[in-house]
Amino acid sequence: MRTLLCFSIFCSFAAAKLSYNGFKVFRIENKGSAEELEQSLSSINSILLSKDPNSEAFDIAVPPDQLQAAHQLGFELNTVIDDLGTVLENEGPFLTYIATEKTQGVAADLPPLSYFDSYHPYDEHIQFLTDLQAAFPNNSDTFSLGPSVEGRELPGIHLWGGTGKGVKPAIVWHGTAHAREWISAPTVEYITYKVIEEYQGEDSEIVSILDNYDFYILPIVNPDGFVYTHESERLWRKNRQTRDSQTCIGTDVNRNWPSHWNVSGGSSPDPCSNTYRGEAPGDTPEIQALVAHMLDLANGPGIKAYIDWHSYGKLILLPYGYNCTALPDNYERQMSVGTGVASAIASVNGLEFRVGPTCTNLYQTAGSSTDWAFDVAGAEFSWLIELRPTAAEGGFVIPPENILPSGAEHWAGVKYMFSQL
Ligand SMILES: *[C@@H]1O[C@H](CO)[C@@H](O)[C@H](O)[C@H]1NC(C)=O
Ligand SMILES: *[C@@H]1O[C@H](CO)[C@@H](O)[C@H](O)[C@H]1NC(C)=O
Ligand SMILES: *[C@@H]1O[C@H](CO)[C@@H](O)[C@H](O)[C@H]1NC(C)=O
Ligand SMILES: [Zn+2]
């Protein structure tokens, strides 16, 4: 697929930011093989959004000047979003986040929950983590990994309990590997907030979990891509890495982990593809930083559970992605805990999350975080959660009113997981 450059007349006066006015989102039922379909789609400028695991359907966004060409491809196009520009308007306006008051030597108040009434730019996420730390000064540190391709930090927060930091096995949460999956960072931040709030409130389960595990939480592991979705193209997915003699920009960081990296069918060798794997395993600075961090944990206190938060699709995905017949050796246990997590999620807002191995439940993926975290870093639980909603409900682009409900249902989910560790 070609990179999406400037298509619309709006580009002439809004130099940087791509307008999605008039873009339609279509669902294509996959009549032939996925590869043939992707090949066929590459002849038009469209944005591949997602493959629907239930129906093997593809969701694509098509700009107005490509609509005719899209119809001529010969697939049946079912419209799921009539005007993406209108849907995008419902993401805003952004409410500015104001940093909390701080006094030397005293724990600050927790940040206001109104933070979750809005999406936020990158800097406000960093401020939010800073403020969480200030509210929990004796049991947390902010930290950062990186830098990214463009020199940004991958911001993180480390939480620990009564026995001091860095001693207990790790629970690791990542968000925003894919830049456009905006609901993932605030969902992770919400459940982080809840861990702190309930530890301070002396909730016995949360005190016990934090006394027995350290949390390492990075809500935005692809900061350049994330900033780019705010400033230029809302539906950008990859990082912003350039390659010698390539015009297309960006590597899919969730196809770049150094595990089963080059299994055919699970990623793309084409630098213009949205699932471009890079030129060598782990050749993105973001993945190098995450690998080094997680290997430190694996070789130290060990990693108990890893969750990589994505959207969309309402799925809890276990290893493996690279192979549809291979199963993790503790598959039964991961499946049983995953099923309990899905029930806990459903009990909050009624949303049904499907549980199963990535390859059979979604599609084949090579070089993905969860295969690596399980096989190499030894995480006993290694999951990718695709958050709400489905394509027809907005896909990546859903109003901020979804943030708190998403946070609440996943707080219930992780609490169930905690009860099983
Ligand atoms: C942090 O620990 C210090 C030293 O034990 C103590 O004096 C202080 O009250 C603690 N602060 C909070 C917010 O618990
Ligand atoms: C990846 O696999 C393809 C096809 O099997 C092969 O041609 C290519 O050399 C491999 N690349 C690397 C870097 O291993
Ligand atoms: C997939 O897993 C099966 C069962 O473990 C194995 O026989 C097969 O060789 C694997 N395929 C690849 C491409 O690794
Ligand atoms: Zn994703």
Side-chain angles (χ1 to χ4, degrees):
M1 188 174 305
R2 270 173 261 158
T3 345
L4 196 68
L5 295 170
C6 240
F7 289 115
S8 73
I9 52 162
F10 297 96
C11 294
S12 52
F13 49 92
K17 192 153 186 182
L18 175 66
S19 161
Y20 291 89
N21 290 338
F23 276 57
K24 289 184 188 297
V25 175
F26 294 119
R27 170 155 294 188
I28 302 177
E29 302 299 332
N30 184 6
K31 297 295 193 294
S33 77
E35 272 166 30
E36 282 165 24
L37 182 58
E38 279 184 84
Q39 183 64 37
S40 181
L41 287 175
S42 70
S43 68
I44 61 164
N45 278 310
S46 65
I47 310 169
L48 179 58
L49 299 179
S50 172
K51 298 181 219 179
D52 183 308
N54 301 304
S55 61
E56 282 287 303
F58 282 66
D59 299 332
I60 59 169
V62 180
D65 64 356
Q66 299 288 305
L67 289 171
Q68 200 182 352
H71 284 289
Q72 284 166 354
L73 290 175
F75 298 107
E76 193 182 322
L77 303 180
N78 300 309
T79 307
V80 289
I81 295 175
D82 195 50
D83 180 9
L84 192 52
T86 307
V87 174
L88 272 165
E89 278 166 24
N90 297 331
E91 285 192 316
F94 287 13
L95 308 173
T96 304
Y97 174 68
I98 315 272
T100 54
E101 302 272 342
K102 298 173 190 74
T103 309
Q104 187 68 33
V106 181
D109 289 341
L110 276 166
L113 280 171
S114 59
Y115 175 79
F116 298 105
D117 292 341
S118 171
Y119 290 108
H120 296 279
Y122 173 69
D123 291 344
E124 291 184 11
H125 287 274
I126 295 178
Q127 186 64 52
F128 182 79
L129 294 182
T130 303
D131 291 356
L132 280 180
Q133 195 282 328
F136 200 36
N138 286 356
N139 295 75
S140 69
D141 277 336
T142 54
F143 66 98
S144 73
L145 306 178
S148 65
V149 172
E150 293 176 347
R152 291 187 181 86
E153 59 177 296
L154 284 57
I157 186 165
H158 171 197
L159 315 178
W160 62 85
T163 48
K165 65 170 162 177
V167 188
K168 299 291 184 176
I171 292 175
V172 180
W173 291 338
H174 291 169
T176 326
H178 291 143
R180 62 197 180 188
E181 297 167 9
W182 278 11
I183 190 108
S184 71
T187 299
V188 171
E189 288 161 350
Y190 180 81
I191 62 181
T192 305
Y193 174 103
K194 292 299 289 181
V195 170
I196 297 172
E197 183 191 45
E198 300 211 356
Y199 187 85
Q200 291 180 327
E202 297 180 7
D203 177 277
S204 60
E205 283 175 53
I206 301 305
V207 169
S208 161
I209 205 78
L210 198 51
D211 284 347
N212 286 295
Y213 298 98
D214 279 28
F215 287 71
Y216 300 83
I217 300 158
L218 294 128
I220 303 175
V221 301
N222 175 8
D224 300 345
F226 183 66
V227 169
Y228 193 74
T229 63
H230 280 264
E231 294 180 351
S232 300
E233 291 180 33
R234 172 67 185 86
L235 295 181
W236 187 259
R237 167 182 165 103
K238 301 187 283 183
N239 76 356
R240 294 292 302 162
Q241 194 160 358
T242 54
R243 306 265 181 184
D244 287 345
S245 72
Q246 296 296 345
T247 50
C248 287
I249 294 175
T251 300
D252 182 346
V253 295
N254 201 32
R255 298 294 183 280
N256 190 244
W257 289 82
S259 172
H260 310 294
W261 172 79
N262 197 12
V263 175
S264 89
S267 61
S268 176
D270 173 3
C272 299
S273 165
N274 247 343
T275 54
Y276 176 50
R277 64 167 77 116
E279 281 165 18
D283 71 351
T284 54
E286 296 84 5
I287 294 307
Q288 281 161 15
L290 295 170
V291 161
H293 179 239
M294 287 176 71
L295 286 179
D296 277 350
L297 297 174
N299 295 328
I303 300 177
K304 181 74 176 181
Y306 172 71
I307 303 180
D308 193 11
W309 303 85
H310 288 242
S311 74
Y312 53 87
K314 296 188 286 196
L315 298 163
I316 298 173
L317 299 171
L318 322 179
Y320 287 106
Y322 79 100
N323 184 320
C324 286
T325 45
L327 289 175
D329 53 13
N330 66 349
Y331 172 69
E332 302 285 331
R333 175 148 159 75
Q334 291 203 63
M335 194 66 196
S336 129
V337 175
T339 305
V341 168
S343 304
I345 291 169
S347 73
V348 179
N349 298 308
L351 300 193
E352 303 282 345
F353 279 62
R354 216 148 50 85
V355 189
T358 308
C359 190
T360 47
N361 220 20
L362 182 64
Y363 41 69
Q364 193 189 7
T365 57
S368 75
S369 58
T370 45
D371 286 2
W372 185 88
F374 186 78
D375 274 358
V376 184
E380 185 179 334
F381 297 90
S382 184
W383 297 357
L384 188 153
I385 295 187
E386 297 278 5
L387 298 168
R388 54 167 67 202
T390 59
E393 296 160 330
F396 304 113
V397 182
I398 51 172
E401 292 75 34
N402 283 272
I403 295 170
L404 279 169
S406 176
E409 67 210 16
H410 289 283
W411 176 238
V414 295
K415 272 204 303 186
Y416 178 83
M417 180 186 230
F418 297 161
S419 74
Q420 302 298 308
L421 296 182

